[in-house]
Amino acid sequence: MAQVFLAKFRLQRSRNGDRFMFYRTEYQWVYNILEKKKEADRIVYEDTDPDTGFILLPDMNWDPTDTSALYLVAIVHKHDIKSLRDLDTGSLPLLQNILMKGLKAIQDTYDIPASKLNVYIHYQPSYYHFHVHFTNVKFEAPGFGADRAHLLADVINNIQLYGDFYKKKTLTFLVREQEDLYMKFKDAGYFDCSDI
């Protein structure tokens, strides 16, 4: 049986001060979507602004005929934001734009109001090109638990209060033994499994 470990990290730093490289850089599939080389027929909405723009499209596993299980993802056009840790006051226009226009596009396309949607960011994300999840509140989305999901409205508010909130905040998340991230932490000496 695989073990699950709770990890708390500030600034994603290893014990020797080097930044962990948790993410891969091979995300050509994301760039293909952004450049409309793939999935162009699935795009629900696009804002082409290079700084605040994004593409909103259905999650690969969602059956679009079942709006009670609605699951869309907004993928930002900017390539320099990898995760929640990269967000600060300069990110507010982007985040507010995704929230406002994403909710409107879903209302216009699927007739689902904002009050019936969860809008959130994963940390750690499943891939390190910044994206935001939109799901129907009726849908029990994987990764919507308190150990991984951060509501976009809360993220915006936290940054408005403290511009560098996510650069300083200790974030708690689960790491499963079968994940590559677990091995990186273990190799850096974060887990002592002798007491399990």
Side-chain angles (χ1 to χ4, degrees), residues 23 31 79-84 86 125 127-131:
Y23 50 87
Y31 306 137
H79 291 224
D80 62 341
I81 303 174
K82 304 296 182 203
S83 79
L84 188 63
D86 296 319
Y127 56 95
Y128 287 84
H129 181 100
F130 189 70
H131 58 285

Side-chain angles (χ1 to χ4, degrees), residues 121-140:
I121 302 163
H122 282 150
Y123 188 81
Q124 296 280 334
S126 54
Y127 56 95
Y128 287 84
H129 181 100
F130 189 70
H131 58 285
V132 176
H133 303 263
F134 290 78
T135 60
N136 192 315
V137 295
K138 295 177 185 176
F139 178 55
E140 292 185 29

Side-chain angles (χ1 to χ4, degrees), residues 101-114 117:
K101 291 184 180 173
L103 291 173
K104 183 174 181 340
I106 292 169
Q107 172 72 54
D108 293 348
T109 307
Y110 301 102
D111 197 30
I112 299 174
L117 295 170

Side-chain angles (χ1 to χ4, degrees), residues 29 32-33 36-43 57-58 60:
W29 66 272
N32 286 344
I33 291 171
K36 298 188 197 112
K37 294 177 182 175
K38 301 279 185 185
E39 309 293 331
D41 59 325
R42 300 184 69 222
I43 294 172
L57 73 163
M60 297 297 283

Side-chain angles (χ1 to χ4, degrees), residues 91-189:
S91 310
L92 286 173
L94 170 66
L95 300 175
Q96 292 163 332
N97 191 50
I98 291 170
L99 184 60
M100 181 183 66
K101 291 184 180 173
L103 291 173
K104 183 174 181 340
I106 292 169
Q107 172 72 54
D108 293 348
T109 307
Y110 301 102
D111 197 30
I112 299 174
S115 63
K116 301 288 184 184
L117 295 170
N118 290 318
V119 185
Y120 56 96
I121 302 163
H122 282 150
Y123 188 81
Q124 296 280 334
S126 54
Y127 56 95
Y128 287 84
H129 181 100
F130 189 70
H131 58 285
V132 176
H133 303 263
F134 290 78
T135 60
N136 192 315
V137 295
K138 295 177 185 176
F139 178 55
E140 292 185 29
F144 188 65
D147 62 306
R148 190 161 182 213
H150 300 264
L151 295 174
L152 182 55
D154 290 345
V155 170
I156 291 168
N157 184 252
N158 289 337
I159 295 171
Q160 288 171 331
L161 291 171
Y162 303 100
D164 58 354
F165 185 88
Y166 290 100
K167 296 188 185 308
K168 293 182 177 178
K169 169 90 170 96
T170 298
L171 295 170
T172 302
F173 54 93
L174 291 180
V175 181
R176 288 171 177 77
E177 197 174 42
Q178 68 272 21
E179 296 174 355
D180 291 339
L181 182 57
Y182 167 82
M183 288 309 299
K184 289 191 182 282
F185 282 137
K186 186 176 180 194
D187 292 346

